[in-house]
């Protein structure tokens, strides 16, 4: 009898969470829509939000100034914000599912540092590449280098922290810190030998910004990010099974090793491409999945979709703040996300230790 009552309670709870997750997804689509309008209309020079919305639907005539601001500057920047925010948030959710730990995040465990090292190496040493290779890669030199850096650091992290099918959380975090420090040291050495122009590029890039967004730059990262995001929903069932443990997941028919390899490639592709075009933007990958898990539960079927929507909206809002807080100058977006995400991360730690109830 008690078992039947437990099953019924569990089914009711799961149904309630599904309902919440679907309702939240609808709300997040609305929030993302208004975030896009805000991103298009607000900045050092304001453009009417109504005109911006109408121009997207009816292609109404705008002034020459507003056309340049809207189509050449803010539209690629907004599109990049959507893709980068979604990529970082979904990568964080997938990593937390693979490592079965809520603290796993591309920034915290060294994956972003690896991607950053690849991007910095491409910026500083790109001129030494063979001409044929440089011409073949073209604009894709930095994204490809960032992807390779993220992929290598993720693979090394997984190999170090996993033994006999079990992942040690403490080893993962320590290995992530070590990999991040190592990548930081090599990045520092490359920065030291950079010339003045490269140094200026690296300084702004390392603080994170969407300010340099162009259609060409967006096209170098968009295919990799979109492909990675398109793959992520197919990981949801496997990640749910992996939460039971690798042995139990394998017992119910989940191809654990193939799942982990696919997840690592997905995270490396999304994080590498995002870091390559936007620089170091922290805390999105840990804050967004955590917040959503508190609301909709751990089911990755809903967690991944909602993470993409909330991550995109959050980064667009952070970008708007970065534009207006010291206008007409711009604050690097990495400073804004760190200011918002740092206190939230501390709250998570205090909550896990039972020092706060909320």
């Amino acid at each position: 009898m008690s078992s039947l009552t437990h099953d019924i309670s569990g089914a009711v709870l799961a149904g309630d969470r599904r309902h919440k997750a679907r309702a939240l997804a609808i709300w997040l689509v609305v929030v993302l829509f208004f975030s896009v309008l805000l991103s298009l209309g607000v900045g050092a020079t304001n453009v009417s939000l109504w005109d911006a919305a109408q121009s997207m639907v009816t292609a109404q005539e705008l002034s020459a100034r507003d056309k340049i601001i809207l189509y050449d500057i803010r539209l690629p920047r907004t599109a990049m914000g959507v893709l980068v925010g979604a990529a970082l948030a979904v990568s964080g959710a997938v990593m937390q599912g693979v490592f079965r730990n809520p603290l796993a995040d591309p920034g915290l465990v060294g994956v972003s540092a690896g991607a950053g090292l690849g991007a910095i190496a491409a910026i500083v040493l790109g001129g030494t590449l063979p001409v044929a290779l440089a011409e073949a890669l073209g604009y894709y030199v930095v994204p490809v280098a960032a992807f390779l850096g993220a992929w290598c650091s993720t693979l090394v992290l997984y190999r170090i922290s996993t033994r006999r099918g079990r992942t040690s959380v403490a080893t993962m975090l320590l290995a992530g810190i070590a990999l991040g420090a190592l990548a930081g040291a090599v990045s520092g050495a490359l920065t030291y030998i950079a010339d003045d122009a490269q140094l200026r590029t690296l300084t702004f890039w390392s603080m994170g910004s969407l300010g340099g967004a162009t259609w060409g730059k967006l096209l170098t990262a968009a295919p990799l990010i979109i492909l990675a995001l398109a793959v992520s929903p197919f990981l949801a069932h496997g990640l749910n099974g992996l939460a039971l443990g690798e042995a139990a997941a394998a017992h119910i028919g989940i191809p654990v090793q193939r799942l982990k390899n696919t997840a690592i490639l997905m995270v490396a592709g999304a994080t590498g491409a995002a870091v390559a075009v936007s620089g170091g933007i922290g805390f999105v990958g840990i804050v967004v999945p955590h917040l959503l898990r508190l609301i909709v539960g751990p089911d990755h079927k809903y967690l991944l979709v909602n993470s993409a929507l909330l991550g995109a909206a959050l980064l667009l809002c952070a970008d708007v703040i970065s534009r207006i807080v010291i206008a007409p100058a711009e604050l690097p977006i990495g400073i804004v996300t760190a200011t918002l995400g740092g206190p939230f991360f501390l709250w998570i730690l205090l909550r896990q230790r039972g020092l706060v109830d909320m």
Side-chain angles (χ1 to χ4, degrees):
M1 182 66 181
S2 60
S3 174
L4 179 61
T5 304
H6 178 74
D7 291 344
I8 293 174
S9 299
V12 170
L13 182 61
D16 184 49
R17 282 182 170 170
R18 279 197 296 272
H19 177 72
K20 275 186 180 177
R22 289 167 182 161
L24 181 63
I26 294 172
W27 276 107
L28 287 177
V29 169
V30 175
V31 170
L32 180 58
F33 174 75
F34 283 103
S35 300
V36 168
L37 286 186
L38 201 64
S39 178
L40 292 174
V42 177
T45 301
N46 287 332
V47 175
S48 164
L49 296 184
W50 178 245
D51 288 346
Q54 277 194 314
S55 68
M56 295 294 104
V57 178
T58 64
Q60 73 164 22
E61 282 299 317
L62 296 170
S63 68
R65 185 206 69 155
D66 286 353
K67 274 185 179 177
I68 293 173
I69 293 174
L70 197 59
Y71 293 118
D72 295 341
I73 299 174
R74 291 193 184 161
L75 202 51
R77 181 172 185 153
T78 300
M80 187 180 289
V82 169
L83 289 177
V84 170
L88 294 177
V90 173
S91 295
V94 170
M95 282 206 74
Q96 290 164 19
V98 170
F99 286 103
R100 302 197 298 282
N101 187 281
L103 295 180
D105 162 69
L108 195 65
V109 297
V111 178
S112 295
L117 173 58
I120 290 173
I123 292 171
V124 177
L125 304 177
T128 63
L129 288 174
V131 176
L133 180 60
E135 287 180 352
L137 291 174
Y139 288 113
Y140 294 91
V141 169
V142 175
V144 168
F147 166 74
L148 291 176
W151 179 73
C152 289
S153 58
T154 307
L155 198 60
V156 171
L157 178 72
Y158 182 77
R159 293 293 186 194
I160 292 175
S161 60
T162 302
R163 283 288 180 274
R164 297 175 182 174
R166 300 190 64 178
T167 301
S168 166
V169 174
T171 304
M172 176 195 71
L173 292 175
L174 292 173
I177 292 170
L179 287 173
L182 182 61
V186 179
S187 299
L190 290 171
T191 303
Y192 185 77
I193 63 172
D195 60 31
D196 288 344
Q198 292 169 339
L199 197 57
R200 193 160 44 250
T201 302
L202 291 174
T203 300
F204 286 102
W205 177 87
S206 63
M207 289 189 286
S209 175
L210 301 177
T214 61
W215 288 115
K217 198 172 179 181
L218 178 66
L219 289 176
T220 62
L224 206 51
I225 293 178
I226 291 172
L227 179 62
L229 292 177
V231 167
S232 65
F234 297 100
L235 303 176
H237 175 68
L239 292 175
N240 286 342
L242 206 56
L244 303 172
E246 293 190 9
H251 187 69
I252 61 176
I254 293 173
V256 175
Q257 193 57 48
R258 190 173 68 189
L259 170 69
K260 290 188 291 191
N261 291 339
T262 306
I264 288 172
L265 279 174
M266 178 263 149
V267 170
T271 305
V275 170
V277 294
S278 65
I281 299 177
F283 289 105
V284 175
I286 191 167
V287 168
V288 171
H290 246 298
L291 188 60
L292 291 172
R293 202 175 283 109
L294 294 175
I295 301 171
V296 302
D299 189 342
H300 288 83
K301 180 180 176 184
Y302 306 107
L303 186 63
L304 294 176
V305 174
N306 284 319
S307 291
L309 294 170
L310 182 58
L314 180 67
L315 200 64
L316 287 182
C317 292
D319 184 46
V320 170
I321 293 174
S322 76
R323 282 187 240 166
I324 62 177
V325 70
I326 55 172
E330 287 189 15
L331 195 65
I333 194 171
I335 295 176
V336 178
T337 56
T339 304
L340 297 175
F344 186 81
F345 190 68
L346 288 174
W347 173 74
I348 290 171
L349 295 178
L350 293 174
R351 187 173 179 272
Q352 287 183 334
R353 292 178 62 84
L355 298 178
V356 295
D357 295 330
M358 290 179 62

